[in-house]
Amino acid sequence: MSVHFSSRAARRGLIASSSLTLAALLMGLAFVVHTTGGTLFLFATVAPVLVVAAIVILAAVALHEFRGQHKLFEIEYYDPGEAVFRQGDAGECAYFVRDGEVEVVKVAEGKETVVAKLGKGQYFGEMALLSNEPRNATVRTSAPTELATLGKTNFLALLSVLPSTQEDIMKTIRTRAMRMAGVPESEARRSRMSRLPAPPPAGAGESAPATPDVPGRRDGPPPEG
Amino acid sequence: MDSGGRFRFPSVLAVAVALAGCGADPARSFQYDPVEYHGARYLAVALVAGIVLAAWVLVRALRRRVGGAHFGALVVTSLVMLPLLSLATGMLLVFQRAERVEFCASCHRTMSAYVDDMQDPGSRGLAAIHYRNRYIPHNQCYECHTSAGMFGTIEAKLGGIVDVFKYYTGTYDVPLRMRSPYPNADCLKCHAESALWLARAEHVAAREALFTERIKCMDCHGAANPAHPVGPDGGKP
């Protein structure tokens, strides 16, 4: 089982856990170097509590991350204006819009630009899973929205067993990348028809570059979604 | 491999510290204590390695560099395995070191007077007589203040933890008093049936009464030679 501590919550949990562990170990060192009633008491009573707390936090973080990566179409509900994820967050799952609407917002130099709006039947969040890079845009809802989430592991498994899904997703990624690069929609459609990218190797989603041939990819990542 | 390269530094350091700690030859003496000697070294090695690795994890988490092939192993090693190993080894040492006279004396405000009296060559107290004649070679406080057997040890340790808590929270009363009258068994565990003890007709005559605690050892010995002739203010009474 491989667990990545990639999300913001996981990172905070890791910081808390390592801080508690450090405190406990320093108590131990104080006890070894200079044994007094105080250092012994701290090491014998407080340090075990800190270590157990650190392990519990770590286990909770690992479980949370593992579940996040193995989501299988869990349904999430969002109010209007709520962020589904933010630019720079780690990618744990892909989202499928069951109802409502979301907008993809690119943040650059503190300025927000809405680059796309997605509605029922569309999906987003797949690019970070394929490229193994942080989210390259913020996605927030513009109406009451119902999303189905698919964890990274299951998403990559889906791609490897359903080649047609791979093609569909790669088309979408290409279109979005070209839209981001300022290529007109009609041109993007033509390019899409003539140059379908090779699908990533099955089960190699962790390291395979998602869109090696996407224009604009080298200058800057395309919008999430 | 970048992540592997980042992981290499603490790994090498931990191994180096471990080798440095375990490679030394124990300076054996007739007072050589393997638990103290090896326990302290292994604990120090585990603690130092754990501190270095946990700090490394913390720095990487703060810098948002939590990926990499070996990061999971680094986290488990530094935040689970080494702390648990340290606690397990440390508890052995806690039990061992809590028996030392220096440990008892570390509670200065309450215990210094008793330890000073015990180590005073001119004192007539029972503890001092035992100490200067080396009737008890080590852990002189502990040997007389714990009952025989496993439960005696556990009882003494638990009582000690309570005492330390009371000391640091200031919830103790002076003059200090024993939790319960000093039991004969704590004297008899060494003295009973010894030649010196049997040489005294009073002991032989009162043998059954002493063994069943109908007569207390301190009834006779406490008056002539109090265990700790210490006044309420910590001075001589």
Side-chain angles (χ1 to χ4, degrees):
Chain A
M1 184 182 88
S2 171
V3 176
H4 303 277
F5 301 91
S6 47
S7 72
R8 192 170 299 179
R11 208 168 58 79
R12 285 180 184 162
L14 205 55
I15 290 170
S17 181
S18 51
S19 301
L20 291 174
T21 303
L22 264 178
L25 294 177
L26 287 171
M27 285 176 190
L29 201 59
F31 161 72
V32 173
V33 172
H34 185 54
T35 302
T36 66
T39 57
L40 183 141
F41 181 76
L42 286 176
F43 182 57
T45 59
V46 179
V49 174
L50 295 184
V51 168
V52 169
I55 291 174
V56 168
I57 290 173
L58 191 65
V61 164
L63 186 65
H64 177 264
E65 289 293 285
F66 183 81
R67 289 184 63 182
Q69 289 162 13
H70 290 77
K71 278 182 181 175
L72 187 59
F73 291 120
E74 284 182 16
I75 306 300
E76 294 179 358
Y77 299 92
Y78 292 85
D79 291 327
E82 206 174 337
V84 179
F85 54 74
R86 296 182 191 284
Q87 190 171 319
D89 284 356
E92 287 180 339
C93 48
Y95 298 84
F96 299 79
V97 183
R98 282 166 57 94
D99 197 12
E101 187 184 60
V102 299
E103 51 190 24
V104 182
V105 180
K106 189 81 183 167
V107 184
E109 296 171 356
K111 191 179 167 187
E112 291 189 348
T113 310
V114 177
V115 294
K117 291 196 174 193
L118 305 173
K120 187 175 179 179
Q122 292 184 289
Y123 56 85
F124 59 94
E126 79 290 347
M127 195 170 304
L129 308 189
L130 290 168
S131 64
N132 213 24
E133 287 179 3
R135 302 286 191 194
N136 53 20
T138 297
V139 172
R140 65 176 173 231
T141 55
S142 52
T145 303
E146 184 181 323
L147 301 174
T149 59
L150 185 59
K152 182 176 184 176
T153 306
N154 287 324
F155 176 78
L156 296 174
L158 180 75
L159 292 192
S160 66
V161 297
L162 292 175
S164 61
T165 312
Q166 274 186 30
E167 284 176 20
D168 185 58
I169 286 173
M170 297 314 286
K171 280 179 203 172
T172 307
I173 289 174
R174 176 183 297 279
T175 307
R176 289 174 182 171
M178 294 188 83
R179 186 192 301 151
M180 184 64 184
V183 178
E185 190 70 23
S186 55
E187 182 66 28
R189 207 172 293 123
R190 267 204 303 280
S191 171
R192 204 170 67 190
M193 296 302 288
S194 62
R195 238 179 98 211
L196 283 177
E206 293 275 336
S207 56
T211 53
D213 52 349
V214 172
R217 178 90 185 139
R218 292 173 193 83
D219 301 328
E224 188 65 51
Chain B
M1 184 170 57
D2 190 28
S3 59
R6 285 199 296 273
F7 180 67
R8 207 167 291 135
F9 159 67
S11 307
V12 169
L13 184 65
V15 171
V17 171
L19 290 175
C22 305
D25 187 34
R28 290 175 182 275
S29 72
F30 76 100
Q31 291 178 317
Y32 167 68
D33 178 358
V35 173
E36 168 62 34
Y37 186 86
H38 292 293
R41 276 158 184 76
Y42 280 117
L43 180 58
V45 167
L47 287 168
V48 170
I51 288 169
V52 169
L53 294 180
W56 192 248
V57 169
L58 182 60
V59 167
R60 285 186 63 166
L62 288 171
R63 289 182 176 176
R64 300 166 189 265
R65 291 162 70 178
V66 290
H70 300 297
F71 189 70
L74 174 65
V75 167
V76 171
T77 304
S78 60
L79 304 188
V80 180
M81 290 172 67
L82 282 174
L84 289 180
L85 178 70
S86 300
L87 284 180
T89 313
M91 287 307 143
L92 287 177
L93 215 59
V94 161
F95 273 65
Q96 188 82 357
R97 288 192 175 179
E99 298 172 3
R100 292 180 180 178
V101 173
E102 302 85 63
F103 169 75
C104 303
S106 70
C107 290
H108 305 281
R109 291 196 299 273
T110 52
M111 284 293 124
S112 281
Y114 294 88
V115 174
D116 288 348
D117 171 71
M118 183 180 74
Q119 296 175 333
D120 177 5
S123 173
R124 295 288 302 156
L126 269 183
I129 292 170
H130 281 76
Y131 184 82
R132 69 169 165 266
N133 289 310
R134 294 191 67 81
Y135 293 151
I136 303 168
H138 302 295
N139 306 331
Q140 288 86 355
C141 303
Y142 178 80
E143 289 299 332
C144 287
H145 285 280
T146 184
S147 300
M150 184 180 76
F151 292 111
T153 301
I154 292 172
E155 191 182 24
K157 305 291 184 187
L158 289 175
I161 288 287
V162 172
D163 289 347
V164 171
F165 178 78
K166 283 184 174 180
Y167 180 80
Y168 282 98
T169 54
T171 52
Y172 58 88
D173 296 316
V174 284
L176 299 179
R177 271 195 287 270
M178 297 274 293
R179 289 193 187 82
S180 55
Y182 195 82
N184 288 359
D186 288 0
C187 299
L188 296 172
K189 67 184 178 186
C190 296
H191 290 285
E193 312 292 359
S194 69
L196 194 62
W197 190 82
L198 290 171
R200 301 288 300 199
E202 298 91 330
H203 291 158
V204 177
R207 180 176 173 163
E208 288 304 312
L210 285 167
F211 282 9
T212 54
E213 304 248 359
R214 279 186 284 116
I215 299 175
K216 306 293 284 184
C217 297
M218 290 299 160
D219 290 348
C220 300
H221 292 280
N225 297 100
H228 298 282
V230 175
D233 58 348
K236 293 289 178 189

